[in-house]
Amino acid sequence: MNLPSQPNSPSRQAASPWRNRLVASLLLILAGLPLLAAGEDADALPVLEVQRLDGSRQALSDSRGVVTLVVIWSPESLASRKSLGELQRFTARHPPGEINVIAAATEGDAAQLRQFASERKLDLPLSIVGVTNLGPFPEATLPHVLIIDGDGSLRAAHRGLFRLQTLEQLVAPPRRP
């Protein structure tokens, strides 16, 4: 039997935190991110460690205090290949240290990615996805763009082909009401 809910009833007020978590989870699903497990610390999201082309490792947690643009892409994805040119333009507009850029390929090895970048005259900070809780990354949905605030929280997300204007809008500081 369905009873009409009353806006200020105790059961409605008690459900509010649950409802807020549900809405946040749905937004993460739409962004292509997994749900937090029950009891998991919200500060643990997101986790990303990549292998740079020089063999060194970089973790998203190393970027605390700086807005980070993460692009997960694949050399096999046409949308990813087209979007990398726009990412190249974006990195040219923003000096190092202003916005941290991580462009992580879902597959390949360092030698293949160096050749890929050389053939396309890319000087992006390319890397390979390692440990992460952001996946899976189906090729049909790539590239994935995530904007992580300096405090480690997800600010914005985008899936699929993107342009320079898209990236600029995603990294723009949120408007205050």
Side-chain angles (χ1 to χ4, degrees):
M1 175 171 135
N2 289 335
L3 297 174
S5 65
Q6 298 186 4
N8 295 322
S9 71
S11 64
R12 185 162 178 95
Q13 289 174 352
S16 181
W18 177 85
R19 189 170 291 119
N20 291 344
R21 183 159 170 89
L22 176 63
V23 169
S25 297
L26 290 172
L27 290 173
L28 292 174
I29 289 170
L30 292 174
L33 300 173
L35 295 172
L36 284 172
E40 190 174 337
D41 185 4
D43 291 337
L45 179 70
V47 172
L48 177 64
E49 184 178 299
V50 298
Q51 177 187 340
R52 294 180 180 167
L53 297 185
D54 65 5
S56 65
R57 297 219 176 260
Q58 178 184 11
L60 187 56
S61 60
D62 299 338
S63 300
R64 291 272 182 181
V66 178
V67 172
T68 302
L69 172 101
V70 177
V71 177
I72 308 293
W73 65 283
S74 168
E76 303 300 318
S77 162
L78 179 60
S80 290
R81 292 192 310 268
K82 286 183 174 183
S83 296
L84 283 178
E86 298 295 296
L87 183 58
Q88 175 82 26
R89 291 176 51 208
F90 178 86
T91 58
R93 284 180 147 196
H94 296 276
E98 181 181 294
I99 296 174
N100 184 32
V101 176
I102 300 174
T106 58
E107 56 193 55
D109 63 30
Q112 289 174 333
L113 286 178
R114 276 193 292 276
Q115 180 179 354
F116 178 89
S118 174
E119 290 170 356
R120 289 161 181 79
K121 297 178 179 34
L122 297 174
D123 60 358
L124 298 169
L126 298 179
S127 55
I128 302 168
V129 172
V131 177
T132 185
N133 67 350
L134 299 174
F137 306 109
E139 189 176 312
T141 65
L142 292 176
H144 288 208
V145 178
L146 306 169
I147 307 301
I148 311 297
D149 275 335
D151 64 0
S153 61
L154 178 67
R155 178 195 299 178
H158 176 85
R159 287 194 302 183
L161 188 67
F162 60 82
R163 299 187 49 115
L164 174 63
Q165 180 181 8
T166 307
L167 296 177
E168 294 291 354
Q169 289 171 347
L170 289 171
V171 300
R175 290 185 182 177
R176 304 235 185 248

